[in-house]
Amino acid sequence: MTTLPTGHGPSPQDPASPRGRGAAPSGAPSPRAAWHLGANAVVAAWLALFVAGTLVHPFVPAARWLLVHLLLLGAVSNAAVIWSGHFAASVLRLPESDRGTPAVLRLALLNAGAVAVIGGMLAGAWPAVLVGGTVVAGAVAAHAVHLVRLLRRALPARFSATVRYYVAASALLPAGAALGVVMARGGLSGGSAARLLVAHEMVNLLGWVGLTVAGTLVTLWPTMLRTRVADGAEKAARTALPVLVAGLAAAVGAALTGPPPLAAAGVAAYAAGLAVAAAPWVREARARPPRSFATWSVAAGCAWLAGSLAALTGILLTAPSWAAVAERVPSLTAPLAAGWIAQVLLGALSFLAPVVLGGGPAAVRAAAAELDRAWVARLVAADAALLVCVLPVPGTVRVVASTVLLATLVAFLVLLARAAVRGRRERRGGRGRRGAAPAGAAPQAAPRPRPAGPDRHRVLGGAAAGLAAVVLAVAAGGAVDVRSLPALPRAAADGADGAGSAGVAPTGRTTTVTVTVRGMRFSPDTVEVPAGNRLVIEVRNAGTDRHDLVLETGARTGRLDPGERQSLDAGVVGRDLEGWCSVVGHRQAGMVLAVRATGPGGGGAGGGDTGGGGADGHGGHGGHGTGGTAPRGAAGSAGSAAGAFDPMAEPAAGFTARDAQLPPAAGGPGPRVHRRTLTVEEVEREVAPGVRQTLWTFGGTAPGPVLRGRVGDTFEITLVNDGSIGHSVDFHAGALAPDRPMRTIGPGRSLTYRFTATRSGVWMYHCSTMPMSLHIANGMFGAVVVDPPGLPSVDREYLLVQSEMYLGRQGGTADADKLGAEEPDAVVFNGYAGQYSHDPLTARVGERVRVWVLDAGPNRSSAFHVVGGQFDTVYEEGAYRLRPDGPGSGGAQVLGLAPASGGFVELFFPETGTYPFVSHVMADAERGALGAFAVTR
């Protein structure tokens, strides 16, 4: 059985048929098989690029966009063109019509266009995107014309509806490409951009890919199952197609012009059409259940599609605006791309590859067996890992789960290569055997049906192995990111009733109170309990961030996500107790709870007082490594790394400072779209010689990545929280309502922040999650440079970001008590104390040097000064204060900046030497806010 719709066996058109290969040399692949080998090598190459992209995605701008388009525009679109041509030729019984020079030209144009689109997006060259999108649309439109001509040439065929699915799909892709090109141009308002994004994804995923898959499965699915096509399958396919197209048109039309609930009706209609088409597939699977990787992979893909359509409908029904839809839809990227499309593609290729490799029954069986190696374990591991990825898990757990998912794809590519090699060996062996056959012998028989399938024990063993791999990976990710796991209650210090009893006799009664988290406060912030009663606190998180409640006795809840609730059993209470949120900085921000014991024996600290130590042993800072255990409002220093900080210390040999050189704005004239993924990472870094801190960062560095553009450019930033607590981002360079884009997202979550730069300057971006000062002080800040119109070129251009450090313990996070007291240990440029004194910035005599400076604070002002230099240009907060061509002969000695403000200065150096630069707030210069220019000829 091969790809024929009727399930009766090979035919002259079939690549597995001996008659179809009759013209090929003995033991060699047929011309059709050779064509498929070459064409599908392109698909494999795009899949390999996708794998490579996942490995380097932390270092690539717009990584998520790149990965999606490597898979869908590259691998999937090539496979759709190749195999829709093949199946159209098969069902219409027009041999040789799916290959030849026109087909090669269409594929060449498709790939050239895809490369231009991807390259143009990465380089920020919209003209390249425009040309590439036009070429892609033209190649697929030409494919649609080819399919229409086949329909007109062919005699009436039983499954010609399949070809009509392909024509409809191919007609939709140019529309999706046009929407993508318009979005890449930028300059759209938030609402328009969101509408276009959703419409673009619907057309390409549900139209181009969805209709192609649906049309193919009409005939491929029963062939893979090795059963006959179910009665009524042709009628169901014909009935479903107009429903699918109408539903899609309604959904896309609503996305462009109507409200989200109207689009939900269109998606529901599309799902109904898919259900009509799929009803015969279910009957075919019940008649002959799936028993191979190919069939189970396709079935799993269809299940992910059904779930994704239900989720999409729910999003459209509940989202208040299209901007909210655009923010939520990315959560369906993994289920649709990896769950549905990739699994259907791999399942189809694993069935079709042995057929197109050909070489006789033995070669086909050998290649099929190779592709079915450990298939149960691979399938279970892939789907279980994907399920973990779509759940709200910590970032590290998601990373290891996605690594398992990637490993299953790599395994398929390896097996595909092995299948090709093994099939070739079998062909060579078969050639010798065929050579010995008597003249006039009958043609070699078609491949025997595969065995009924693996036995039950092998299936269960494979499933257990795949599931175990995912469980171990998740456990490893949780161990690495242990701080993201809920805190476990600690045994009370003096027995079952805890240190809070203070020797008071238990009354046997229980007092239950409800405490709600609202913002950065507990409400109520004081609760009363009769002395001797057992206290149970029902804690409900109605805020937008993760919180917990820790009592000084050690009793505590786990970390509660927004909307979660948990009971805390405080035991018998005989004295006043203090409680707080142990998320770093939250206690200092006011998240404290007072428990008051009333009546005889109540009040006071009592003999059971533990001294205010938290369950983590760090004064209630939640194990995040804050520096001191001082009470709120006093600067703490116990265990602080400040004792190891020496502003005059030398770094280790081979030290290299952070590159302060500012690259020019990318792209030519006209607005462009900058796409960037900022991943929140918790990393331990040296911040001064011998001093290490755990920083919360955007992209692994503090300051975060520098973004640069021009007035009119659009920035589309995807924030991914791989940290252990909630974070957010606020771009000062964009003017928009902060409610949605600046909201706090929990660990494992992501959001898209889109803004258009309408005004020039050097703008700060930072985490705006409370306590904001601590998130900024611990590394969550960066710069966006928007060039003023007509900005002249200079010889050298640098960016310096000033910030403060409130050192916690070695390897810990910032000390929130020092921060509240505004007592920094260090003030630095670009995240490291005095680094440009040890590795100076460079310039040559007479060169014009521009230095951009941003004061990220969070508390200290900056007075940037170059010793021995004078500024002839000063640009501060969006306006020139001094220009060399201005009236008079004035100059400037300092660029004065308040926290969160920025600008640039320009100067040239008259002679060789070392020119120090400092913040002329001299106490800060002596804390590390200094560096130097090394000037040569």
Side-chain angles (χ1 to χ4, degrees):
M1 178 66 61
T2 59
T3 60
L4 286 179
T6 57
H8 291 303
S11 77
Q13 297 98 316
D14 194 335
S17 169
R19 288 174 287 171
R21 296 191 313 270
S26 177
S30 69
R32 180 180 289 260
W35 152 256
H36 278 286
L37 283 171
N40 284 282
V42 177
V43 178
W46 281 105
L47 289 174
L49 285 174
F50 173 80
V51 171
T54 60
L55 299 177
V56 302
H57 81 275
F59 315 104
V60 178
R64 178 176 295 185
W65 182 95
L66 174 64
L67 293 177
V68 168
H69 286 77
L70 285 175
L71 177 63
L72 301 184
L73 179 57
V76 173
S77 291
N78 272 278
V81 170
I82 293 164
W83 288 105
S84 62
H86 165 74
F87 282 105
S90 294
V91 299
L92 297 177
R93 301 191 176 274
L94 295 172
E96 318 302 329
S97 61
D98 63 331
R99 56 190 172 93
T101 301
V104 172
L105 181 59
R106 289 192 294 270
L107 281 180
L109 288 174
L110 173 63
N111 285 278
V115 169
V117 168
I118 293 173
M121 289 296 296
L122 294 181
W126 183 78
V129 178
L130 172 62
V131 171
T134 303
V135 171
V136 167
V140 177
H143 180 65
V145 171
H146 166 70
L147 295 174
V148 170
R149 288 176 175 172
L150 291 186
L151 278 171
R152 291 179 176 178
R153 281 175 48 196
L155 295 173
R158 181 183 178 192
F159 288 96
S160 60
T162 291
V163 186
R164 291 182 171 83
Y165 275 78
Y166 298 152
V167 172
S170 301
L172 286 168
L173 181 66
L179 292 171
V181 169
V182 172
M183 285 194 299
R185 181 71 174 85
L188 300 167
S189 67
S192 297
R195 286 178 179 274
L196 285 180
L197 174 64
V198 175
H200 169 74
E201 293 178 343
M202 285 180 175
V203 171
N204 287 345
L205 293 177
L206 304 184
W208 167 233
V209 179
L211 294 183
T212 300
V213 169
T216 300
L217 291 181
V218 172
T219 56
L220 180 61
W221 178 243
T223 305
M224 296 170 72
L225 292 172
R226 302 184 184 279
T227 188
R228 298 180 63 88
V229 176
D231 293 337
E234 310 98 304
K235 181 180 179 181
R238 289 195 302 271
T239 303
L241 180 57
V243 178
L244 289 165
V245 173
L248 179 60
V252 173
L256 295 174
T257 62
L262 187 59
V267 173
Y270 179 93
L274 203 57
V276 172
W281 310 343
V282 174
R283 296 199 300 272
E284 290 155 359
R286 295 175 69 178
R288 192 176 183 90
R291 296 179 180 273
S292 65
F293 172 77
T295 51
W296 272 110
S297 184
V298 171
C302 293
W304 279 105
L305 173 61
S308 298
L309 289 175
L312 177 58
T313 303
I315 289 172
L316 293 169
L317 286 174
T318 59
S321 66
W322 282 107
V325 172
E327 290 172 0
R328 299 177 189 178
V329 162
S331 64
L332 301 180
T333 299
L336 286 170
W340 168 42
I341 297 172
Q343 288 204 106
V344 169
L345 175 62
L346 299 191
L349 287 178
S350 68
F351 177 80
L352 295 168
V355 174
V356 300
L357 288 171
V364 171
R365 285 195 297 269
E370 199 66 50
L371 287 165
D372 268 356
R373 280 182 181 270
W375 71 267
V376 178
R378 288 190 287 126
L379 187 75
V380 171
D383 285 287
L386 180 57
L387 183 60
V388 171
C389 287
V390 301
L391 293 175
V393 296
T396 307
V397 174
R398 179 175 282 101
V399 168
V400 295
S402 62
T403 301
V404 173
L405 187 59
L406 179 64
T408 63
L409 174 58
V410 173
F412 174 81
L413 293 175
V414 171
L415 292 175
L416 187 62
R418 286 172 57 96
V421 171
R422 187 170 173 183
R424 183 178 180 184
R425 289 174 180 169
E426 290 291 340
R427 286 197 301 272
R428 288 176 174 175
R431 177 174 57 195
R433 291 190 293 272
R434 286 192 297 271
Q444 195 173 19
R448 297 194 306 270
R450 294 185 189 180
D455 61 63
R456 183 170 178 268
H457 295 293
R458 289 180 61 190
V459 169
L460 293 177
L467 193 59
V470 176
V471 170
L472 290 174
V474 170
V480 171
D481 197 10
V482 66
R483 286 175 299 177
S484 67
L485 300 177
L488 298 177
R490 194 187 71 167
D494 63 348
D497 62 352
S501 63
V504 174
T507 64
R509 292 186 290 272
T510 298
T511 298
T512 301
V513 298
T514 298
V515 172
T516 303
V517 176
R518 291 190 174 92
M520 297 294 287
R521 293 292 185 269
F522 292 111
S523 178
D525 59 5
T526 302
V527 298
E528 295 185 348
V529 54
N533 278 19
R534 177 174 293 276
L535 174 63
V536 175
I537 304 175
E538 298 285 346
V539 182
R540 184 173 70 90
N541 185 1
T544 59
D545 198 358
R546 283 179 124 192
H547 298 286
D548 61 12
L549 174 61
V550 179
L551 299 182
E552 61 184 71
T553 61
R556 66 189 303 166
T557 67
R559 291 284 167 84
L560 304 180
D561 286 322
E564 290 187 338
R565 62 192 307 155
Q566 188 175 332
S567 294
L568 185 155
D569 188 344
V572 173
V573 176
R575 62 181 180 87
D576 293 349
L577 301 174
E578 184 183 10
W580 56 84
C581 176
S582 72
V583 175
V584 62
H586 287 199
R587 183 184 188 185
Q588 287 79 3
M591 291 198 69
V592 293
L593 176 74
V595 177
R596 300 284 181 253
T598 61
D609 190 356
T610 63
D616 48 33
H618 289 289
H621 292 283
H624 286 269
T626 54
T629 57
R632 181 172 176 249
S637 60
S640 171
F645 175 53
D646 178 3
M648 304 303 292
E650 295 285 333
F655 172 80
T656 301
R658 172 175 169 140
D659 187 2
Q661 184 171 327
L662 181 63
R672 59 158 293 186
V673 178
H674 305 262
R675 289 183 172 86
R676 189 69 180 255
T677 298
L678 294 182
T679 301
V680 174
E681 301 176 33
E682 297 177 5
V683 297
E684 185 177 317
R685 292 283 187 268
E686 186 176 68
V687 297
V691 178
R692 300 186 68 84
Q693 294 282 273
T694 295
L695 305 177
W696 305 333
T697 69
F698 294 110
T701 63
V706 178
L707 308 177
R708 189 172 192 181
R710 298 182 175 89
V711 174
D713 285 2
T714 297
F715 292 80
E716 184 178 295
I717 310 300
T718 300
L719 178 68
V720 179
N721 187 358
D722 278 351
S724 60
I725 61 175
H727 292 290
S728 58
V729 66
D730 171 7
F731 284 94
H732 293 189
L736 71 171
D739 306 65
R740 298 291 300 173
M742 300 181 199
R743 70 187 187 277
T744 295
I745 58 172
R749 300 290 188 178
S750 66
L751 63 78
T752 299
Y753 192 127
R754 184 182 294 102
F755 66 91
T756 298
T758 58
R759 300 182 185 276
S760 57
V762 53
W763 302 87
M764 183 178 176
Y765 69 85
H766 61 89
C767 180
S768 57
T769 297
M770 296 298 291
M772 194 183 308
S773 59
L774 182 62
H775 284 249
I776 295 172
N778 208 53
M780 302 201 73
F781 57 88
V784 178
V785 177
V786 181
D787 289 359
L791 182 68
S793 61
V794 292
D795 297 300
R796 296 177 190 264
E797 200 168 11
Y798 295 106
L799 171 67
L800 300 174
V801 181
Q802 178 180 306
S803 62
E804 303 135 34
M805 291 186 174
Y806 302 82
L807 298 175
R809 62 177 174 80
Q810 281 282 14
T813 54
D815 188 318
D817 295 316
K818 293 180 184 178
L819 178 61
E822 297 188 34
E823 296 179 357
D825 296 296
V827 180
V828 302
F829 288 122
N830 288 352
Y832 192 100
Q835 60 180 316
Y836 301 113
S837 295
H838 309 295
D839 186 9
L841 306 180
T842 59
R844 294 183 181 274
V845 173
E847 289 184 331
R848 176 162 288 276
V849 178
R850 178 182 295 137
V851 185
W852 295 80
V853 184
L854 173 69
D855 183 357
N859 296 324
R860 307 284 289 183
S861 296
S862 178
F864 181 74
H865 171 70
V866 178
V867 180
Q870 295 180 332
F871 307 141
D872 64 11
T873 303
V874 176
Y875 181 91
E876 179 186 347
E877 283 296 283
Y880 283 96
R881 306 300 186 196
L882 177 67
R883 303 191 74 159
D885 55 357
S889 57
Q893 57 196 314
V894 71
L895 174 61
L897 299 172
S901 63
F904 68 78
V905 293
E906 294 179 11
L907 74 164
F908 64 87
F909 298 99
E911 57 185 346
T912 61
T914 300
Y915 295 74
F917 61 81
V918 298
S919 170
H920 222 285
V921 180
M922 294 311 299
D924 292 344
E926 293 163 0
R927 291 184 176 116
L930 76 168
F933 287 97
V935 180
T936 60
R937 290 200 180 276

